[in-house]
Amino acid sequence: MSGAALGLEIVFVFFLALFLLHRYGDFKKQHRLVIVGTLLAWYLCFLIVFILPLDVSTTIYNRCKHAAANSSPPENSNITGSYATAIPRYFQHPCFKPWSYIPDGIMPVFWRVVYWTSQFLTWILLPFMQSYARSGGFSITGKIKTALIENAIYYGTYLLIFGAFLIYVAVNPRLHLEWNQLQTIGIAAANTWGLFLLVLLLGYGLEIPRSYWDGKKGYLLMKTYFKAAKLMTEKADAEENLERHHGDEVRKVNESIKYNHPLRKCVDTILKKCPTEYQEKMGRNMDDYEDFDEKHNTYPSEKSLVKLHKQVIYSVQRHRRTQVQWQILLEQAFYLEDVAKNEASATRQFVHTFQSPEPENRFIQYFYNPTVAEWYWECLLRPWFYRILAVVLSVFSVIVVWSECTFFSTRPVLSLFAVFIQMAEKTYNYIYIEMACFLSIFFLSICVYSTVFRIRVFNYYYLASHHQTDAYSLLFSGMLFCRLTPPLCLNFLGLTHMDSSISHQNTQPTAYTSIMGSMKVLSFIADGFYIYYPMLVVILCIATYFSLGTRCLNLLGFQQFMGDNDMTSDLVDEGKELIRREKRKRQRQEEGENRRREWKERYGHNREDSTRNRNVHTDPKESNFSDISTNRSSKYTRANNRTERDRIELLQDAEPLDFNAETFTDDPLESESGRYQPGGRYLSMSRSRIFDDV
């Protein structure tokens, strides 16, 4: 089993990162370099979290082996008889290899490659790719030039910070500047920045237990109504923004720059990024027979086209994302309303308002049927399960807060994480050590990473599921992960007293700590910032418990969900009305489809037979002309579909009749004599066949 655990975790973590990236990214539409860069960043960060418990267990075994090698029996010891069996236990430590033991020399090389690769990604490659992906240039050279200009200030800021540390070390007469110390300064600067952000995100992420405690259906339904009202505003804004850029600016550019203009390729590139309906609209209004130099018009410059291209990419991505999120939110609201209705059901059978369009697996249908499993789980067991989970997570949160405030105390040991690890170290129970380490660092990672997935910086950074995250946000998340994971692991090693700079013991450090180097070069960071700054998590937890951040954002004009606020109540009522309107709309659509399906099953065969008999006795020329007329009428009918449907949807309070534009039309070329139209109309005469003999 030597090294097998390391190999298994490497493979497992890769598929975990790939699964999460597939959920948030779009492999088909986004650039391959963006996918590869983000996948590598996520993979390396998740790998550090999963491999670190193996490093801890291997280090404890190496300490035991080192202590056993240095121990020797006392002189003139004559232990015989029944005490002879106690000699190995008295003079030697019970050192046996753990099942996940990693041979010497592998972990230092592994950590060195993983750490410096992640630092190269977060400080150099990913910021450059981020600017490259967001650039509106039409060529690779133009995008690279834009990315270099945008990152000049970015790189200059960090060089200034690194120079300040360098000057401090050079001025201090007691320090001699060497390569290892210079490397330690760079690591200290990166970890200081990461720890500063880590504590802020950790304090916000420790509210996870409250989110499960407030998981009651009524509370979630009101919050969903609130989200629906806000999302509808964002959706309308995205549509307006898209219409303004495409309806005005792109149209003007498309009409002014003709087919033989040198910048026409740039305009075509912009049009390709537009939705299909806009491309068709622009294509119909383009006159390719007019040269660009026949009129002395003012043409836009390439720089303005680059700016317009960037705006179009952003507008299209935002519009597509809001459309998908609106559909997802509707499904969530319909589901919560179904749960609220079925809770009072006497038959204990879960009834859905709308059936899922995707057929469920037979295995899932057998164990999760609406009669037993679904009703008991959704209406009875899930609330209690969430309450129990909230209590367990609350215990972990209290342990984290207590340990962050007391991990610097070594005598007595007050950090609960250190107490658990030292108790297991005395018995050399490696499985317990690895499980305790994994659960501890996994909970810390969940608190930090979940905040990264939930936070939203206006419309510039936002991780949206169902493949709706843009390239800029994916790369930015990779940068955050690579900057947060190393200080997170150092903080965990400090909580467990596996870091010698915290425990102040002359013991063998972990391989990960040896790569970080000794922080004694910068004593004010090692003995000050790393020790006392994590205590700030207490203040952040108090602020999160009383929702101080939410209240401040609400005062600044950013509407947040607050139960005791009039604005929240108004938005909840507005969202409830929007959901009710969408539900009526979907019900009318389903009723119309059901009526058409029943009519087709009842009268479809007779109609096909009569049509086939009439075609047999019809002249071929007349048949051809009739087919042309029918095709023309169907084209006209499809053209009027959207307008007629939008006009009908305005009748919100009317009876849910089935008026569909596909069947209800005033085009005379569509009707046929004596035939029933699926929309419910009979026509007494045929207008489309009057001129068949002409």
Side-chain angles (χ1 to χ4, degrees), residues 371-383:
T371 305
V372 181
E374 189 172 4
W375 187 90
Y376 279 98
W377 170 250
E378 298 294 343
C379 302
L380 189 63
L381 298 179
R382 174 176 283 188

Side-chain angles (χ1 to χ4, degrees), residues 348-533:
R348 295 187 177 184
Q349 183 175 358
F350 199 91
V351 180
H352 293 273
T353 304
F354 304 106
Q355 297 296 330
S356 177
E358 299 180 358
E360 296 183 355
N361 192 2
R362 293 183 178 179
F363 180 79
I364 298 177
Q365 289 180 351
Y366 180 77
F367 289 98
Y368 193 69
N369 54 78
T371 305
V372 181
E374 189 172 4
W375 187 90
Y376 279 98
W377 170 250
E378 298 294 343
C379 302
L380 189 63
L381 298 179
R382 174 176 283 188
W384 289 102
F385 173 76
Y386 280 174
R387 290 296 180 92
I388 296 174
L389 182 61
V391 172
V392 174
L393 295 178
S394 299
V395 173
F396 272 95
S397 298
V398 172
I399 293 175
V400 169
V401 174
W402 173 262
S403 300
E404 291 285 358
C405 297
T406 59
F407 73 95
F408 59 89
S409 177
T410 57
R411 293 182 181 179
V413 178
L414 298 179
S415 175
L416 296 180
F417 289 112
V419 171
F420 296 152
I421 299 300
Q422 291 178 5
M423 289 176 58
E425 186 177 359
K426 293 179 181 179
T427 59
Y428 296 96
N429 190 346
Y430 296 108
I431 296 180
Y432 174 80
I433 292 173
E434 293 175 2
M435 290 300 299
C437 291
F438 176 76
L439 291 178
S440 303
I441 195 173
F442 184 74
F443 180 74
L444 293 173
S445 303
I446 289 296
C447 294
V448 176
Y449 293 161
S450 63
T451 308
V452 175
F453 280 97
R454 286 186 297 170
I455 62 174
R456 177 174 180 177
V457 184
F458 298 102
N459 287 318
Y460 295 98
Y461 170 74
Y462 181 38
L463 289 178
S465 58
H466 297 83
H467 321 291
Q468 298 304 312
T469 306
D470 58 348
Y472 184 89
S473 299
L474 285 176
L475 295 171
F476 190 77
S477 66
M479 292 168 52
L480 285 180
F481 285 157
C482 291
R483 296 179 189 182
L484 293 172
T485 304
L488 174 66
C489 295
L490 282 179
N491 182 256
F492 165 74
L493 294 176
L495 295 177
T496 56
H497 289 184
M498 294 299 297
D499 190 354
S500 58
S501 61
I502 301 298
S503 61
H504 303 290
Q505 297 178 0
N506 189 15
T507 56
Q508 181 181 357
T510 60
Y512 187 83
T513 308
S514 63
I515 298 302
M516 294 291 106
S518 177
M519 295 300 173
K520 295 180 180 180
V521 179
L522 303 174
S523 59
F524 70 94
I525 293 180
D527 299 332
F529 185 77
Y530 282 176
I531 299 298
Y532 299 105
Y533 179 71

Side-chain angles (χ1 to χ4, degrees), residues 242-256 264 267 270-271 274 278 282 308-309 312:
L242 181 65
E243 185 69 26
R244 183 174 67 250
H245 285 308
H246 290 87
D248 297 334
E249 299 181 23
V250 178
R251 179 179 55 81
K252 292 178 181 179
V253 169
N254 184 54
E255 293 177 354
S256 61
R264 185 62 203 181
V267 177
I270 296 176
L271 290 176
C274 302
Y278 287 99
M282 297 298 175
L308 179 61
H309 187 205
V312 167

Side-chain angles (χ1 to χ4, degrees), residues 640-663:
N640 294 329
N641 262 344
R642 187 173 299 276
T643 304
E644 186 67 23
R645 186 181 296 115
D646 293 340
R647 188 192 313 159
I648 293 170
E649 289 302 329
L650 295 176
L651 303 176
Q652 299 177 8
D653 299 329
E655 292 295 326
L657 299 179
D658 180 36
F659 293 100
N660 263 334
E662 297 179 357
T663 59

Side-chain angles (χ1 to χ4, degrees), residues 23 46 224 276 290 361 398:
R23 177 177 175 81
F46 296 162
T224 304
T276 307
E290 183 180 358
N361 192 2
V398 172

Side-chain angles (χ1 to χ4, degrees), residues 524-551:
F524 70 94
I525 293 180
D527 299 332
F529 185 77
Y530 282 176
I531 299 298
Y532 299 105
Y533 179 71
M535 296 181 184
L536 184 63
V537 73
V538 178
I539 301 176
L540 295 175
C541 287
I542 295 174
T544 302
Y545 179 79
F546 290 102
S547 303
L548 297 182
T550 302
R551 298 179 186 276

